[in-house]
Amino acid sequence: MQRPIDNVLNLVKSKFNAQVKAESDARGQIEVDKKAIVEVAKLLKEQGFDHVKSVTGIDFPEQEKIQIVYHVSSYSNPELAKVILALKTYVTYKEPKMQSLYEVWESAWTGERETYEMLGVYFEGHPDMRRLFLPEDFEGVYPLRKSYKIKLEGLFVDKQA
Amino acid sequence: MTNRLEDVLENSGMAVDIVPVEGELNVGPQHPGSGHMRILVKLNGDIIEDVDLDVGYVHRAVEKLGENRNYMHLIPLVERPAILDSIHMNLGYVMAVEKIINVDVPERAQYLRSFAAEVNRIASHLYGLGILGIFLGHSTAFMWGFGDREVWVHILEMLTGARVTNSYIIPGGVRRDLTPAIIEETKKAITYMRKKLEDWKKIFLYNPTIRARLENVGVMTKEKAIEWGAVGPNLRASGVYYDVRKIEPYAAYPKLDFEIPVYKEGDGYARTMVRFEEVEQSLRMLEQIIKEIPEGNILSDRFFKQIPPTRLKKWWEGYRRIVLPGYYASFRPPKGEAVTRVEAARGELLYYLVSDGSAKPYRLRMVTPSYRLINVMRNLAKGSRFADLVSIYGSLDYFPPEADR
Amino acid sequence: MDILGLLRFYILYPSFFVTVIFPGLVFTLLLLLVTIWFERKAAARVQMRIGPYYASKRLGGILQLVADAVKFVFSEIIIPNEVNPTLYALAPVLMVIASFLPIAVIPLSVIPPSGSVFSIYFKDFYDPDINAGVIAGLFVNYNLLLVLAIESVYPIFVVLLAWSTNNRFAVVGAVRETYLSVSYDVILLMSTLAMALEYHTLDIAKIVSYGIPGIVANPLAAFLFFVAMLMGSSRFPFDISEAETELVIGPYTEYSGFLFVLTMAGSYVGNFIYALVFADVFLWGWYPLSGFPGLVLTVLKAVIVLFFATFMRSVYARYRVDQALRGSWKYLLPLAFASLILGMVVGYVWIR
């Protein structure tokens, strides 16, 4: 019997130029170009993936790009509810911009706002692209980029004798 | 209705000018009903036109600190955002680490994890009900919530050694074993709580003022709940059968017999009822766990073997406690990523852990239930009355530190 | 008359004794402390707590309230920048005065022609309706009306107070108070009017002397009066204008120190006045005692009513303002009409 995750992944693969991988029965990932992500998202929504669990940005300084990961799953379809798909794409440092998925999944609202303030990725089409957690006077730097170093107090095990 | 009245008045030559009274109220951060955040409320008369949640007053930068600490050092950190629900915060993270280092957890430890998690869920729900009570001006519910919570916190203290910041769950198992004294205390606590829940119903659930304040307030339809990405009891109160303990069972939940309360109404009262019934279900689960818990080790053999025999003799055989083996100090898991989810007290908690092979995570993403409620609360508050802001807040059981992380 | 007798004459002179000593200023101040103590202790009892305790373990912690009062009196009064300081300081004082003033005209007991310490004032406070003297600060024939008329001025000062503090929460609280005062005053007046019709008089002393307690003659009016009293003095479940989690403390948000004590005292004193009227009109007042014991009995009944009203805190949550308004106009107002009719019928058939 074919697993539900394979059906979805094969469907995405047949329609788009995407790298898909099923890690297990319940986890899978789709990597697409950022230009195609809205279309992929719409397809996934048609398949029953109705909400975004998290929007994550991961900084890769060597490659000068940031990976954006949307974890999507379903509430309404009990089969797909077991599955969490990671929808991945990249934006570059030079152009840290991509189309917002707010119009597809309204639940991306919080995550996209947080990714914007923490990594400086601008989501076009998001209705409320402002900072969320950071204070008003926190300007110019993006805390979750690897270039932002925080001062750490040494733990006693790390100290030289 | 009002339009008709205005027409009648105008036709009879008594036109009334209704002047809209608009203004903004800055609820918080120093306000008895705001919690650790600022709620910018735009009012038109008594109706809320728009709400902006200015969150972030208790932001701890868990995700950034996560990139700078060892995997083990993160265990106490991830439970800080929601110390009243720390077992769940802990459990989700440890499950992600276990997935990356690929370790199996012994059966007894799985049961102990469920035990601690359910005790924690009861404590957390009582806290939430207490806060809801005081938000509606019901000080008795507030005090009862915190008073009855103490019973469960005490059990957690006996089990883990700490009242709230337990750090009980470690990769491969749990830190301490269940003793007969704890079982005895839990049985007493279950009897007490069953009795007390009846009193709770009388003074809180069936109280006419509480019903008036919660029924038909902050109604979230099933479609909206899905669209906004609501979680946990709030989602279930809107008629969506969704609980990670059933959808993707972890710990000992596949073996436990329990039900998920689901309500269709989607209003504040339904959310409160769901919490109440979850407490009852948790009591049921605790009884089963006490009865069915298998004998055995509480730490994976892979790590258990690394504990020096002398210390094992003293601590494990003497006190039934695990001393952390040296492996934990700064282990380097293989490259990879893991997505885990648990059903925390307020809803689904998701961890996304990316490892690059070093001793520290490359990226730790922690999506707490309250974080996902920010959007829900913002949308629900629009169009409600100003006095309902607190009842929506309380019935969603939104917890600002958990949302800010 | 020797000097002591003269002193006694002046101290016991009802206009002075009732308004200043008992149950006037001195007693009310003490009662305020005891009421708040009781409120906290009773709530604590329900809520699995002990309540105030450590300030005086033997007295059940009642000195905690004295300590609190002393602390409040000596703490700094912060006046916000953009307010008129005169109005800001005057408003709470006026409010307390308005809520306290009716005590001067409430009849609290009767004076028998002889045998009581008050008998010497028999002629000065003679009430022809009941053929006896009346212990009241000032005896007027229409005291029932006058008490409610003066007490209904109280919300106006709440609004003035909120306005003068220039705070948005205070203004919202004042608006709520305005809405509520309109609705509870109607019910209050109608339920007392029902009693006035029933007993064919506007004199409280005559109502009491009639020999039938009002709660028996017209239980409906008693219930309405009690509910309206809860609303009028912002007790739970109608703690709407103060609503802590919504409006901080409503109209009194900006106040601190002694002025805050005054604002808090306002509603308690108002409640006490209503409770005195309730005790007189519905609970048979001083009957069957007279003179000083009668006075004590009336006040005791009022204190019990007051305590009961404060105890509501541990049972109820607060209603929303629209629910309270809907409740009072849609359900209580028709009931008030019913009580009026009941009063007329009973007054015609039973009480002549």
Side-chain angles (χ1 to χ4, degrees), chain B residues 133-168:
Chain B
I134 194 66
F135 272 180
L136 301 179
H138 199 280
S139 49
T140 301
F142 179 58
M143 293 296 170
W144 280 20
F146 280 71
D148 291 344
R149 183 173 180 266
E150 209 58 23
V151 175
W152 300 102
V153 169
H154 180 63
I155 289 173
L156 275 186
E157 188 187 356
M158 286 176 88
L159 181 67
T160 70
R163 280 169 49 84
V164 280
T165 49
N166 315 98
S167 302
Y168 177 60

Side-chain angles (χ1 to χ4, degrees), chain B residues 24-26 31-33 134-140 143-144 148 192 196 207 209-210 212-213 217 385-388 390, chain C residues 43 46-49 168-169 172 176 236-237 244-249 313-323 326:
Chain B
E24 280 186 352
L25 268 183
N26 223 335
H31 186 282
I134 194 66
F135 272 180
L136 301 179
H138 199 280
S139 49
T140 301
M143 293 296 170
W144 280 20
D148 291 344
Y192 169 79
K196 198 75 189 171
N207 193 324
T209 52
I210 295 289
R213 285 302 297 273
V217 166
R385 288 179 177 273
F386 178 62
D388 284 340
V390 284
Chain C
V46 177
Q47 296 166 356
M48 311 193 291
R49 298 184 285 128
R168 289 191 180 181
F169 290 109
V172 175
R176 289 183 177 189
F236 276 87
E244 191 183 344
T245 44
E246 293 154 28
L247 299 175
V248 190
I249 188 92
R313 173 179 294 272
S314 34
V315 182
Y316 286 118
R318 80 172 68 79
Y319 279 114
R320 230 161 44 199
V321 65
D322 59 312
Q323 289 166 340
R326 194 184 312 131

Side-chain angles (χ1 to χ4, degrees), chain A residues 109-110 113 117 128 130-134 136, chain B residues 25-29 33-42 48 50-57 370-382 389-390 392-393 396 398-400 403-404:
Chain A
W109 186 84
T110 336
R113 264 184 81 175
E117 68 172 353
D128 211 8
R130 291 176 298 132
R131 276 215 293 274
L132 185 65
F133 292 118
L134 294 178
E136 285 86 355
Chain B
L25 268 183
N26 223 335
V27 183
S34 75
H36 309 285
M37 65 172 172
R38 191 165 66 118
I39 311 173
L40 259 168
V41 187
K42 211 171 169 193
I48 297 174
D50 199 7
V51 153
D52 188 17
L53 298 189
D54 185 1
V55 290
Y57 282 85
S370 292
Y371 173 84
R372 290 168 69 183
L373 286 180
I374 296 175
N375 190 24
V376 175
M377 185 169 156
R378 181 183 70 104
N379 281 309
L380 272 187
K382 275 180 203 164
L389 184 68
V390 284
I392 289 171
Y393 189 161
L396 284 175
Y398 175 81
F399 189 56
D404 290 2

